Amino acid sequence: MPPTETLRPGERGGAGGSGGTGPEQTYIIRQSNKYYEHRDSQATAMSVDYSGQWVLLAGRGHLALQRLGQDDGSLRRHERQSKYEVSVAEFAICPSRKEYCAIATSQHIDIVRWGIAEPHYEMSLRGHTRTVTDIDWHGKDPNLLVSCSIDTFSHIWDLREPRKPALSLNAVCMSGATQVGFNRVSGNLLAAAHDGDLRIWDIRKGSCPTHYITAHLNRVHGINWSHKRETCLATASQDGTVKYFDVCNPRRAEKIITTMSPVWRARYTPIGNGLVSIVVPHLGRGENSLLLWSNSKQTDPICSFVGHTDVILDFAWRPNRESSTEIELVTWSRDRTLRVWKIDDNMLKLCEPSAEEEESRFEPDLSELRVPTPPEFLHPRSILVAASLPISTGDGACNTLPMARSPSFGGGYYRREEPHIARSLTDQPTCSLHHEFSLLNTNMPHVEVDTLDAIKRYACFKICAGGHTVILQVTFATSYPSPSAPPDFQFCQGTTLSSEVSGVLLKVLRCNSLQRVKKSRTCLEQCLRALVAAMKKRVAAVGGADRSQLLLQSPRLEGALSSTLHDACIPYPRTSGVHFNAVGMLTTFAQPVNNKRLTLRQHTALTPRTFSAINGSGLLGNVMATAQRDANASFYLQERMISGKPGKQRAIRQMNGSPVVHVYDTSSMLHISRSMAREFSLDKHNIAETCRRNGEICRQHGRLDLVPVWLLAELIATPQVPHETLNELVFYNDPFKKSLLESLIMHYASSGDIQTAVLLACLFDKCPTGGGAIMEMVSRLPPQLNLQISPYHTVLPLDVKSSFSSITCQQLKQLRSNSWSDSLDLEVKQVQPDAYACSLIRRAKVPLFDQFKRSYAEILFGWQLLSKRALILKHTQNMPPPVQGVEFVTECGTCAKPKRTPKCEPCKRPVLFCVLCRLPVKGAANACLACGHGGHMDHMMQWFEKHQVCATCGCKCLERTSELLALLS
Amino acid sequence: MVSLVQEIDTEHEDMVHHAALDFYGLLLATCSSDGSVRIFHSRKNNKALAELKGHQGPVWQVAWAHPKFGNILASCSYDRKVIVWKSTTPRDWTRLYEYSNHDSSVNSVDFAPSEYGLVLACASSDGSISVLSCNTEYGVWDAKKIPNAHTIGVNAISWCPAQAPDPAFDQRVTSRTSAVKRLVSGGCDNLVKIWREDNDRWVEEQRLEAHSDWVRDVAWAPSIGLPRSQIATASQDRHVIVWSSNSDLTQWTSSVLHTFDDAVWSISWSTTGNILAVTGGDNNVTLWKENTEGQWIRINYESGTAIQSKQPSLHPHSHSQQQQQAPQQHQHQAPSHPGPSSDSEHSSNLSNSQLSN
């Protein structure tokens, strides 16, 4: 049968033997063997003890025990007082502690021992800062249990030392832990679920997880380790899948069960090869939600357990100590009934893989991705399953119904398989629209398929979600699903949406389709799902009408993962601060924070770590979500409540002390002073005299400690031998003076008195008289000019025309530095490096001292003493700014490496030859930016006085170079 | 020792989280939980010159850019945004740029040394660091992100000063090669990480582990050119640790400055890099200085005498040094001669901010 035909809406009803809406069943349906009704119980958690005799039902108001062996159905109730719901209760699973159970309420875990008459509270485990979401006992060591919480931590507790966790596993992530479980085989591994991700820890090395598994797209509700294979576990998630993982191969799931609704729990059967899952159905679509699956067959459940009329909150295995082939399943539902189901031998046998499937397990990649061919669906075994069911072993309420409601295998059965195929297939590029339609899951919640026309290439859907109806028409281009051809979405008549909302929804659709189509994948199903999700969210955001549904999907965690979680990662706000600015001014503020006002969640001596410690910060979470808030309202809850009346705001501020900032001048502590900086002299005509004057300035400003230093400096500067000034070399070669001066400067620099250090460094920088000429020269040069530039790095004059004149055969490259400076029209001057010869400062120290000078210059800049700054900068030799403007780099003709020198050292030959005289160029050179020909500056000038074109190639060098330069600037 | 210049009533409607003076010390910017940033004259206790509104949540930190780019201020907030403000006059502020590519609260901003241009680093609770650079010619901003810089979140960020100590004091080392941009960041994973820009990418260069709780603040000491680098880090574990390295920034040694009574969350280096100001959950502001022996001593700015925190009897100056330096060394041991009366009057004011709680 061609796939498109099976999906014709008209034919659907006819093909499905069991009638209109329900999917065809090919599995056993069972009623419970026993049930107990407890109308008045508010229990939210359930657990079965080791012996299998007692069931604990724990709720806010009471703990209750139900004995399973007896049929009276009475409940032993024990009142407890708590304002919080019990989030989880677990009996110990080791026989030596079988009368113990752990009950988590809010942040605490109570360990309760069941005595003969009543429970005894043994201890309380306190360590979590947020609601505890799950507990698991260690399977081997009776003293260990693990708990996880919204605060992202998983704590392992040793009951012999209950005061603090024996080990804290810090899952550094945004989302709190929702589930945790010890490995059942070794007990060394531990899995914790954070949103859709799993972290696998080895408790022997608890510093960081051993594996990260990105398991699901949505929150993981259940983790269960295999009872047989050490590294295997199954996870159940909100995204409607149950995945089997091997932690040794965390990249992909081994097997996936896909359902249409969120899966709340999935647990391996303790014996046999099965797995039981709880599916949380969408509101109003209550279908049987407790399913037994075979671990080797993910397409269909083996058995469905029916009877509960509301969401199943939890289930547990009741070990049957006598028989090793039978187990019982105990479930507790929101319909306030406790049901017990027997899973007998026969059923477990069905879970065992057939020989054929066993074989295919060795090639999971193929089996999962392969398009199942029809014969495989019509596998005789599945018929066998349906036909050979044990008919009613009936003890009491037991009611086993063999259901083989699949009379027509053809179309009907085929369709039953569709969702699963669709899942595995849509991840691969598909060929045709026919194919995509054929694979489309027609049983998507909230979506009704009106038309699927692969020939006219369009499809119509009716989507009812969040109180709105949308008639969606999707048109597919012929090239679909190529990256450039997303389908076209239109809302047709009958859509009950405002134009604004429909705009948003259309955008959602387009985004989703584009994402898929980009990878040449089909997108229809993804788009529909996204649309449904968006519609629900939209409505929830507007009116919260669908709240009940949200509650339903997460019966236990409602509200627990609120927005405050964000704040757990944000540090606690500073209430005081310090800040130094660039010129030694200190800003401080400190607010006396009244802890009562802030109502911290935890009263500890220390300031809390995170923002979430503030009670009111839930408000902030809301801000995160909507990014809208009254600008005048205060952020911290209680204050906000008072400030509801605007007139009181001032009063509050006065009460709390208004936030005051102090500005201090700490420059004296930093040994720098603006007024001294203004007065200090750097007159070098008579250094000794200058030193004396500077010493006097220090004395006037109260820096008496500096007076002897300047005296010393004066001594250094005073020539010992008369007329020595005429022979500076002798004078300045005095080794004692040199090292004294250097150690003085270094001392002041390292102790932070940069002012004194720099003044000394500047004063003795160059010889007082002989260096005068150089000094002048330096001062004429702009500070940007780097004296390290080799003269061969021609800085190209802006006035191009006047300077151009010839040719080279070498390739010339041009580089442009970051910015243009005004120094472009300067010629490079080389200052004799011998300026240092008569300096008291060794040349090796010059770069360091220049750094000091520049730092001090920056402080002077901050003080806005610009002329003083310029004076200091005059004394620096190594200005760091790199060459500015156009720079030529010549490439060596032999080794083809760019050279900045006139000669290529490795090749031992000059790099640049003049195109006119054919001789190597060592001095000023110039070249055309367009053709690269050039050479000696004066040759070029001569040439271009008479010629317009290049001497070699006929390029209009002058014009083109000036054009290029214009482009650059 | 320190003189109070001005006491400014910010009149913020909620807690102040940061206050910073501009480069010249003329303008003060404060930011608060009321979602606003206010600008004040630092020398007049007037009303705010300007109130910058744009954030929808508490503003955690402000940072001034170097004045060569104009009057530019950056603020970061709980609302996941970073806003760069620019002013023509101290009263007129406009939004120059808004960056909202973080998924959680932005906790810290810092402008790079001016040598690198107008570059801003932002640290966010989403675990990433953003480096925003502005092409001042065209006013175009370019953002680079370091994803997963710290798990859980990044709490603080600071730039390495541009004048990286010149390794060999060799004149021939070109400035071009030594201009490596570095950042230090501290996060909720208790780590301090040093990042280096390597061909347009930021790579983790060093990972400094010593804190046992969230790192709340980091500060790279300004350099005056000495061949050493220092980084101070403050943590929830009540320690302030000073990390020192020689010029090549490969070996970092840590020394605990002091164990405080409460979590420490704000530290700042003086310009010359020799004084460290610290404050934390106990709202006390303390100043610390390293003596010539390499020990950190607390400067008691009220009485003007230094209190040795660890080894009380140790005499800090070595006798082998020349006598002429002795007065200066005394200055270090006892950072001030008892100041004029006006000074002590002011310094008692400084303590007011502590005493008032």
Side-chain angles (χ1 to χ4, degrees), chain B residues 111-288:
Chain B
F111 274 106
S114 61
E115 287 84 346
Y116 302 147
L118 189 58
V119 179
L120 178 72
C122 326
S124 165
S125 278
D126 64 7
S128 61
I129 296 170
S130 291
V131 180
L132 314 175
S133 35
C134 177
N135 184 335
T136 37
E137 222 170 294
Y138 302 104
V140 183
W141 289 79
D142 172 48
K144 245 178 256 168
K145 214 167 183 181
I146 312 175
N148 290 325
H150 290 269
T151 29
I152 306 186
V154 193
N155 294 339
I157 195 141
S158 176
W159 285 87
C160 172
Q163 294 114 324
D166 204 347
F169 299 151
D170 185 7
Q171 266 184 290
R172 305 197 187 282
V173 173
T174 58
S175 51
R176 217 178 283 236
T177 53
S178 61
V180 178
K181 293 180 198 169
R182 282 193 177 83
L183 276 171
V184 63
S185 63
C188 301
D189 51 4
N190 310 350
L191 292 178
V192 175
K193 289 182 182 177
I194 298 176
W195 306 87
R196 175 167 48 90
E197 195 184 43
D198 190 6
N199 291 332
D200 271 22
R201 265 176 359 103
W202 285 90
V203 292
E204 187 184 322
E205 189 180 58
Q206 286 281 327
R207 178 183 283 230
L208 310 179
E209 290 178 63
H211 285 295
S212 58
D213 208 333
W214 290 13
V215 180
R216 287 299 310 266
D217 204 0
V218 291
W220 202 312
S223 162
I224 56 165
L226 290 169
R228 59 162 191 200
S229 263
Q230 281 186 313
I231 295 173
T233 57
S235 160
Q236 185 74 23
D237 66 10
R238 304 184 291 137
H239 291 307
V240 169
I241 292 181
V242 178
W243 305 83
S244 342
S245 165
N246 51 359
S247 55
D248 58 359
L249 305 178
T250 48
Q251 295 290 315
W252 290 88
T253 51
S254 67
S255 70
V256 176
L257 177 122
H258 185 60
T259 306
F260 291 82
D261 298 331
D262 202 341
V264 243
W265 56 41
S266 181
I267 45 178
S268 181
W269 288 98
S270 69
T271 333
T272 46
N274 60 336
I275 290 178
L276 186 67
V278 179
T279 186
D282 55 2
N283 291 335
N284 279 328
V285 176
T286 52
L287 299 181
W288 298 81

Side-chain angles (χ1 to χ4, degrees), chain A residues 340-575:
Chain A
V340 182
W341 325 70
K342 206 162 251 161
I343 297 182
D344 51 33
D345 208 7
N346 292 327
M347 216 184 279
L348 287 173
K349 263 186 202 150
L350 288 180
C351 297
E352 296 301 326
S354 64
E356 217 170 300
E357 279 161 351
E358 192 79 61
E359 214 171 90
S360 71
R361 259 177 47 184
F362 295 105
E363 35 174 0
D365 295 57
L366 285 174
S367 68
E368 236 171 80
L369 296 174
R370 191 170 46 200
V371 186
T373 50
E376 201 174 316
F377 292 112
L378 303 175
H379 195 283
R381 208 185 66 85
S382 47
I383 309 163
L384 202 76
V385 169
S388 69
L389 292 170
I391 296 183
S392 183
T393 50
D395 79 307
C398 172
N399 201 1
T400 313
L401 295 174
M403 294 294 280
R405 274 199 271 156
S406 188
S408 64
F409 299 109
Y413 189 36
Y414 193 76
R415 198 160 330 134
R416 171 69 205 154
E417 299 289 339
E418 275 154 21
H420 316 299
I421 310 163
R423 266 304 156 95
S424 55
L425 269 180
T426 43
D427 288 335
Q428 290 190 318
T430 51
C431 34
S432 70
L433 200 56
H434 275 284
H435 201 64
E436 186 182 358
F437 284 169
S438 72
L439 297 175
L440 185 71
N441 176 9
T442 49
N443 289 322
M444 260 185 286
H446 307 287
V447 179
E448 276 179 47
V449 181
D450 268 356
T451 329
L452 290 174
D453 193 329
I455 294 154
K456 290 183 185 162
R457 303 192 75 83
Y458 82 99
C460 278
F461 301 94
K462 184 178 176 193
I463 299 130
C464 302
H468 285 286
T469 311
V470 170
I471 312 289
L472 175 70
Q473 182 176 337
V474 192
T475 324
F476 300 88
T478 41
S479 54
Y480 171 85
S482 80
S484 55
D488 185 40
F489 297 97
Q490 259 186 318
F491 290 151
C492 304
Q493 212 162 17
T495 305
T496 62
L497 288 173
S498 66
S499 58
E500 181 203 347
V501 177
S502 48
V504 174
L505 294 177
L506 278 175
K507 206 171 153 196
V508 169
L509 285 170
R510 277 184 206 123
C511 279
N512 272 286
S513 64
L514 264 179
Q515 271 176 9
R516 299 281 305 179
V517 166
K518 249 188 229 160
K519 299 174 199 153
S520 295
R521 287 175 183 175
T522 61
C523 63
L524 189 56
E525 187 168 338
Q526 277 71 20
C527 290
L528 289 173
R529 286 185 192 277
L531 179 66
V532 172
M535 280 170 77
K536 282 186 194 165
K537 205 158 88 187
R538 198 79 208 156
V539 173
V542 173
D546 238 12
R547 201 168 165 75
S548 54
Q549 179 149 6
L550 291 175
L551 285 178
L552 244 170
Q553 292 185 10
S554 179
R556 191 187 285 168
L557 288 173
E558 55 197 47
L561 285 170
S562 67
S563 49
T564 40
L565 190 61
H566 284 285
D567 296 343
C569 314
I570 298 172
Y572 188 81
R574 293 171 181 154
T575 57

